[in-house]
Amino acid sequence: MSAAALLVAILAALGAAVAAALHDPVVLVGLLAALSAFAAAVAAGAAAVQLRAPNTLTEPRHPQGPSAPPPLPDDVLARRGAFGRLWWIAFAAFALAGLEPLISLGRMPRRNGTAWRGGARLVTPQGTPLRPDDLAVGGVTTVFPEGRVDAPESAVLLLRLQDGVMQLGPERRDWVQQGNVAFSKICTHAGCPVAIFRHLTYELYCPCHQSVFDVLHGAQPVSGPATRALPQLALDLDRDGYLVARGDFAEPVGPDSWWRTL
Amino acid sequence: MILRRVDRFFDERLGSDAWVRYVFAKLYPDHWSFYLGEFALYCFVMLVATGVWLTFVFQPSHAGAFASVIAFTRATPVGYLMRQVHHWSAVAFIAAIVVHLGRVFFTAAFRKPREITWVLGVLLLVTASVTGFTGYSLPDDTLSGTGLRIADAVLLSIPFIGGWAADLLNGGGYPGPLLIPHLYVIHVYFLPVTIGALLALHLGLVFYQKHTQFEPDPAHVVVGRRFWPDYTLRTLAVFFATAGVVTLLGALIEINPVENYGPYHDWLVTNPAAPDWYAAWLDGALRLGPAVEWRIFGHPVPAVFWPGMVLPTLAFLLVVAWPWIDKTITKRDEVGDVLVPPTAAPWRVGVGAALVTAGVVLTLAASDDQQAVGAHVRVTALVTLYRILFPFGSIAVGLIAALLAAELRASRAGRGAERERVVELVRNAEGGFDAREPHST
């Protein structure tokens, strides 16, 4: 039994190697390799059973208590004095000094910022600039500042709603251009892209932790674990009629941290 | 013959023959549940074997990672299998550690003098999980990139030093230019070496202190099998079975199909987006966590800090400290070389069952959106349900498990008493036997 199984293991292993070298389908290579392993397991297992070795042999356990007598002469451990204490202080100093290179590895606080600047055109990921009429009402697309497609933390969702449905405070009235409104796409909870727009209820939905943001009220969180609105990008039109940003976001985008000041 | 000559070669130089004989004749107690840890060990062997191969075809940079994964996956069946088996071994590795931990917990194998082995084992679980997560992130695909983004947000949420820690890992803002290289060196060097060291200590202690056993031993003896050849063949069988299982899974079931997700951009995401199973409980915690941002001295403490950082830290501390908590409850600090059947301590069964339930609830919560779609309910209803189940369901399951264990112990004790009843058989007039109480004549 054992020898037969081991023979199968040998043949299957060689077969798997040949099949892999000939670029046979993955499944064949994998099945042969698995067969080889299982056959070897059977060979070893059957051999173990055939031994009929008892599971009842005994040997003493060593007592594992404190060593006795004391392993070191008393005076080695007992030696104390100013010099000994100085060593502890020295070790503490070395550890403190070692902190400096460690701290230098990261900046504190981390500041990301985005690539948005006043007058930057809104472009699709393919780089096409957009006019207010390019999106159909109810439409949504991801935009970047022109020339900075893929810039970190700068992804923005451009939504087109019916003119006048937005219920924003007076200071944000002119951030909307002919129903076009823009919010940071980076979730304020854990940074995932808030990629889903439910146009019937005017909600943005994050697929990671199911935070829901109410677009009509400035993307305030209404459900899920997010606590802060998606920052809104103030929109304007340039002389050629393209949508542009009025400037960078007024608030930090993305997840919060200790040093976020607002 | 060759083995003998090798032994003699080293013996003549090191005097090692006596030690080799000791190792080969050493006894190991045997029980099916003792092989769970070995299954984990051999998963690690498979991980190292496939992982070393993968280092030669993977390009650890943000620009090249995804393309190199697709390239070597498509080029040869070996490449595809290596990645598949590596990933399956990783999830099996962590699963095996968790089940092994459960066995040790429920049989009280962590008692004195094995507390150190327990702590090392818990550290192994943590290290293995982090290694799994960093490896899962290396292909730089849309799904794993999203996971990294969430991990970045959790790091960022730590009061005072969060920004520094996230900046350090990223090598700049998110997604930093050094993120993939950092993850790479962490995944292929720092963490595997740590696992190797922890494993060596963990197994070294098992060797030195000798394994626990179910056989009662008033005289402090190990009851078991010899290492050579009996146990060697058994552990060899476990190794090959492990290799067979992960290879079969790798060959037949596609895991983490990054080619379907596409390369990562911080503005793209998959829907649904859920991590590998061992990280799901943390993602579930983030979903259930309250939407509150506290302020301390005017500084925000983001909502993700509590479920993402505090909860796992508390869970870790609870599990690490368990041998000492157990000691406090049982008021027992004697050497425990003999395992107890789980039912012997119903309260411990209850605690274990409650902890497992809490983990399962959080894990389920990590796919609440998919369950909501499947069951045609609102996801917020499921969030509420899981928020209730997390504490109360866990306590309820713990109580039921403790009661069941107590019941089982009572019925076992009853049956045991019956089995041990000694009777005297006396020939009767019909030629049969009558049972009589002994010494009742």
Side-chain angles (χ1 to χ4, degrees):
Chain A
M1 167 90 174
S2 288
L6 209 51
L7 209 61
V8 172
I10 293 166
L11 292 176
L14 296 175
V18 171
L22 296 176
H23 285 213
D24 278 342
V26 172
V27 172
L28 179 66
V29 178
L31 284 181
L32 282 170
L35 173 66
S36 171
F38 280 128
V42 169
V49 171
Q50 277 162 7
L51 282 177
R52 292 179 206 289
N55 185 19
T56 50
L57 300 175
T58 59
E59 69 178 25
R61 283 185 189 277
H62 299 291
Q64 286 144 356
S67 347
L72 292 169
D74 281 344
D75 60 326
V76 173
L77 288 178
R79 180 175 296 156
R80 288 211 188 89
F83 187 61
R85 252 170 270 145
L86 203 57
W87 269 110
W88 287 113
I89 295 169
F91 284 132
F94 300 150
L96 266 177
L99 275 180
E100 190 349 79
L102 181 66
I103 291 169
S104 75
L105 286 176
R107 288 168 303 161
M108 188 157 66
R110 181 175 92 171
R111 252 181 232 298
N112 278 345
T114 78
W116 288 99
R117 299 287 176 269
R121 280 182 180 169
L122 279 60
V123 301
T124 65
Q126 290 74 37
T128 317
L130 294 168
R131 287 197 168 92
D133 284 332
D134 284 343
L135 273 187
V137 169
V140 60
T141 190
T142 301
V143 293
F144 285 95
E146 194 168 32
R148 300 296 306 276
V149 169
D150 231 16
E153 314 268 25
S154 305
V156 158
L157 278 177
L158 179 68
L159 307 145
R160 177 94 190 271
L161 313 173
Q162 290 102 315
D163 227 352
V165 291
M166 290 292 297
Q167 294 164 26
L168 296 170
E171 77 286 356
R172 291 195 183 185
R173 283 277 155 73
D174 52 357
W175 289 16
V176 184
Q177 296 296 332
Q178 299 170 34
N180 285 272
V181 59
F183 294 101
S184 163
K185 196 181 179 179
I186 313 297
C187 188
T188 53
H189 173 240
C192 292
V194 186
I196 295 169
F197 177 45
R198 296 162 163 171
H199 69 275
L200 292 177
T201 50
Y202 301 106
E203 284 171 341
L204 287 169
Y205 169 90
C206 179
C208 286
H209 305 108
Q210 292 72 47
S211 286
V212 177
F213 301 88
D214 176 6
V215 170
L216 297 187
H217 293 90
Q220 288 291 335
V222 289
S223 167
T227 57
R228 197 159 63 86
L230 297 172
Q232 186 176 352
L233 189 72
L235 298 183
D236 203 353
L237 295 177
D238 68 6
R239 268 179 298 172
D240 302 321
Y242 286 106
L243 288 164
V244 295
R246 286 174 185 264
D248 199 358
F249 293 96
E251 313 143 48
V253 302
D256 271 358
S257 73
W258 182 260
W259 295 108
R260 181 174 78 79
T261 47
L262 195 73
Chain B
M1 201 60 229
I2 291 172
L3 287 181
R4 249 171 240 285
R5 284 171 68 174
V6 171
D7 178 51
R8 201 176 325 129
F9 174 88
F10 283 105
D11 188 43
E12 281 166 6
R13 285 150 185 87
L14 305 168
S16 55
D17 184 58
W19 192 75
V20 169
R21 271 167 205 282
Y22 171 76
V23 168
F24 275 52
K26 191 173 164 64
L27 296 188
Y28 290 86
D30 195 19
H31 188 264
W32 65 266
S33 67
F34 298 171
Y35 292 96
L36 293 168
E38 286 187 33
F39 182 58
L41 171 70
Y42 294 136
C43 283
F44 183 63
V45 171
M46 293 302 287
L47 281 166
V48 172
T50 49
V52 168
W53 191 91
L54 289 167
T55 60
F56 287 93
V57 290
F58 177 69
Q59 192 186 326
S61 70
H62 182 56
F66 186 80
S68 74
V69 169
I70 297 299
F72 78 73
T73 302
R74 290 197 175 146
T76 63
V78 171
Y80 180 84
L81 262 185
M82 285 288 175
R83 188 159 76 79
Q84 285 271 107
V85 173
H86 193 70
H87 203 125
W88 271 113
S89 301
V91 295
F93 181 42
I94 300 165
I97 297 175
V98 170
V99 179
H100 172 57
L101 182 103
R103 195 283 291 173
V104 169
F105 178 89
F106 286 113
T107 58
F110 51 78
R111 289 171 303 170
K112 188 176 175 180
R114 294 181 178 78
E115 302 97 324
I116 312 165
T117 321
W118 168 270
V119 171
L120 290 166
V122 178
L123 290 176
L124 272 166
L125 173 60
V126 175
T127 321
S129 301
V130 179
T131 314
F133 183 74
T134 52
Y136 159 89
S137 301
L138 280 179
D140 206 21
D141 57 283
T142 305
L143 182 60
S144 73
T146 305
L148 274 181
R149 179 42 142 154
I150 298 167
D152 178 72
V154 171
L155 262 188
L156 210 54
S157 76
I158 304 171
F160 195 72
I161 62 159
W164 168 82
D167 196 70
L168 182 158
L169 182 67
N170 282 287
Y174 187 87
L178 293 178
L179 181 53
I180 294 294
H182 282 173
L183 289 174
Y184 183 68
V185 75
I186 290 170
H187 179 76
V188 306
Y189 178 66
F190 291 130
L191 292 177
V193 167
T194 306
I195 291 180
L198 290 171
L199 255 179
L201 290 171
H202 189 80
L203 296 176
L205 283 177
V206 171
F207 179 90
Y208 179 70
Q209 297 184 317
K210 305 193 175 183
H211 203 281
T212 50
Q213 64 197 31
F214 281 108
E215 288 76 13
D217 75 328
H220 296 291
V221 291
V222 179
V223 182
R225 301 180 181 282
R226 264 207 191 110
F227 179 72
W228 183 269
D230 194 11
Y231 192 75
T232 313
L233 282 170
R234 275 156 213 275
T235 195
L236 208 59
V238 173
F239 167 70
F240 282 114
T242 309
V245 166
V246 291
T247 309
L248 197 64
L249 287 168
L252 295 184
I253 305 174
E254 177 155 61
I255 189 166
N256 198 31
V258 292
E259 54 273 37
N260 296 352
Y261 306 149
Y264 178 63
H265 297 270
D266 73 342
W267 50 280
L268 291 177
V269 67
T270 58
N271 183 35
D276 269 356
W277 79 269
Y278 53 85
W281 67 288
L282 291 171
D283 194 50
L286 288 179
R287 293 174 188 221
L288 299 189
V292 290
E293 181 169 283
W294 289 353
R295 290 192 166 252
I296 299 177
F297 306 122
H299 292 284
V301 180
V304 293
F305 178 65
W306 309 104
M309 210 72 221
V310 174
L311 177 84
T313 306
L314 289 179
F316 169 75
L317 289 178
L318 173 68
V319 178
V320 160
W322 183 258
W324 291 275
I325 298 172
D326 198 281
K327 230 171 262 193
T328 314
I329 297 172
T330 55
K331 299 187 177 62
R332 183 185 180 285
D333 195 23
E334 287 104 61
V335 166
D337 289 327
V338 178
L339 298 169
V340 300
T343 48
W347 65 273
R348 193 186 290 123
V349 173
V351 171
L355 287 176
V356 169
T357 309
V360 169
V361 169
L362 291 182
T363 303
L364 285 175
S367 55
D368 56 2
D369 51 333
Q370 296 164 73
Q371 294 155 24
V373 171
H376 299 288
V377 293
R378 299 193 130 251
V379 71
T380 47
L382 286 180
V383 167
T384 309
L385 173 71
Y386 287 133
R387 278 180 177 168
I388 295 168
L389 283 181
F390 177 60
F392 299 114
S394 306
I395 293 171
V397 170
L399 284 175
I400 293 168
L403 287 174
L404 277 177
E407 196 60 36
L408 214 59
R409 180 176 66 172
S411 75
R412 282 246 177 89
R415 256 188 290 136
E418 207 147 285
R419 220 183 298 130
E420 275 163 30
R421 213 181 108 214
V422 179
V423 293
E424 202 172 331
L425 294 179
V426 184
R427 220 49 199 265
N428 60 23
E430 287 83 48
F433 291 95
D434 283 337
R436 278 198 328 202
E437 291 297 315
H439 313 300
S440 65
T441 35

